[in-house]
């Protein structure tokens, strides 16, 4: 018998595979969009930490061939992730040449980031690494979002979540935390949402 839900495909994983998504994470973005309405047709969207590509596929489907999706990751996207309005940039999101390439494709109406560090099992270490990814994503949002743009980023829950939200409230008209139902029950991940860049 599996010790936890990570050891076998759960409802969300099975649903994702049946609908052509490489990972269950797609339903987290779907819930975020249903609650906050962050995705619109004709948007230019930046998907940070996109591999294997479930969020990218959802964005492409949601925009119905309009707009543009720019996806970036160290690892390649799944071979099933395709679109005439998709640009994929492979590399380190902190590297100057990657930042420059991403900037050249913008500015963006929406920045999303579902990136997670390679977990060690040490919650303190994992949380600190997650926080670094979040701060990187916030930098992209602050630097490359259009006025009025929106933002969603995954973070491992810790004491610094409120500090980052305070920083986001300087950038956005509204910033709040949100934990989608599609998150695994034992997961300590949640999402920070920024609405309407000032």
């Amino acid at each position: 018998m599996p010790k936890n839900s990570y050891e076998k495909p759960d409802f969300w994983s099975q649903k994702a595979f049946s609908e052509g998504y490489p990972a269950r994470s797609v339903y987290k973005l779907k819930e975020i969009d249903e609650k906050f309405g962050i995705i619109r047709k004709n948007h230019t969207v930046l998907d940070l930490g996109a591999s294997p590509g479930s969020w990218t596929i959802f964005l492409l489907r949601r925009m119905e061939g309009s707009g543009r999706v720019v996806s970036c990751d160290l690892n390649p996207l799944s071979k099933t992730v395709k679109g005439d309005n998709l640009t994929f940039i492979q590399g380190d999101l902190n590297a100057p040449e990657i930042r420059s390439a991403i900037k050249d494709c913008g500015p963006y109406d929406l920045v999303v980031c579902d990136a997670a560090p390679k977990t060690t099992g040490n919650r303190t270490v994992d949380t600190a690494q997650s926080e670094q990814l979040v701060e990187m994503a916030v930098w992209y949002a602050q630097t490359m979002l259009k006025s009025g743009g929106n933002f969603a980023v995954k973070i491992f829950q810790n004491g610094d979540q409120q500090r980052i939200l305070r920083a986001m409230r300087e950038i956005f008209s509204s910033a709040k935390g949100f934990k989608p139902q599609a998150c695994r029950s034992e997961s300590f991940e949640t999402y920070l949402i920024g609405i309407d860049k000032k």
Side-chain angles (χ1 to χ4, degrees):
M1 183 176 176
K3 294 177 183 176
N4 61 50
S5 65
Y6 288 88
E7 296 184 27
K8 68 173 183 177
D10 65 358
F11 166 80
W12 297 108
S13 297
Q14 293 171 356
K15 182 175 171 65
F17 300 149
S18 72
E19 294 182 357
Y21 295 105
R24 69 195 299 287
S25 59
V26 62
Y27 301 109
K28 301 167 192 175
L29 179 58
K30 184 173 186 288
E31 284 184 64
I32 290 168
D33 183 46
E34 287 171 351
K35 183 168 181 65
F36 298 99
I38 59 173
I39 306 168
R40 294 194 174 89
K41 291 181 182 178
N42 298 312
H43 268 180
T44 300
V45 182
L46 176 59
D47 184 3
L48 301 169
S51 182
S54 284
W55 279 29
T56 294
I57 293 173
F58 181 80
L59 290 162
L60 291 168
R61 290 180 182 178
R62 179 74 173 76
M63 294 195 296
E64 299 176 356
S66 68
R68 184 180 187 192
V69 179
V70 179
S71 297
C72 316
D73 202 291
L74 273 172
N75 301 306
L77 296 177
S78 168
K79 292 178 181 178
T80 61
V81 186
K82 297 175 183 176
D84 292 337
N85 54 338
L86 169 62
T87 300
F88 177 62
I89 299 170
Q90 187 168 352
D92 184 342
L93 291 164
N94 289 307
E97 66 274 14
I98 297 299
R99 288 186 171 188
S100 179
I102 293 170
K103 184 177 181 181
D104 287 346
C105 294
Y108 299 92
D109 300 282
L110 172 65
V111 173
V112 296
C113 180
D114 195 42
K118 290 184 178 178
T119 52
T120 64
N122 181 319
R123 184 163 178 169
T124 302
V125 172
D126 293 343
T127 298
Q129 291 178 341
S130 169
E131 185 183 327
Q132 291 173 353
L133 288 173
V134 172
E135 289 177 343
M136 173 207 66
V138 170
W139 179 87
Y140 272 99
Q142 185 170 22
T143 306
M144 300 189 191
L145 266 179
K146 297 176 185 176
S147 176
N150 300 318
F151 176 56
V153 62
K154 176 164 66 183
I155 185 172
F156 290 171
Q157 292 168 295
N158 67 8
D160 284 331
Q161 181 179 333
Q162 293 305 316
R163 177 185 63 79
I164 295 171
L165 278 172
R166 284 194 298 273
M168 286 174 58
R169 289 184 183 117
E170 297 295 315
I171 305 168
F172 298 94
S173 296
S174 171
K176 57 189 68 178
F178 176 66
K179 182 155 186 168
Q181 291 181 344
C183 292
R184 296 181 192 268
S185 57
E186 65 267 40
S187 170
F188 57 102
E189 70 182 17
T190 191
Y191 290 79
L192 305 181
I193 314 297
I195 302 296
D196 185 21
K197 185 187 176 191
K198 296 176 183 176

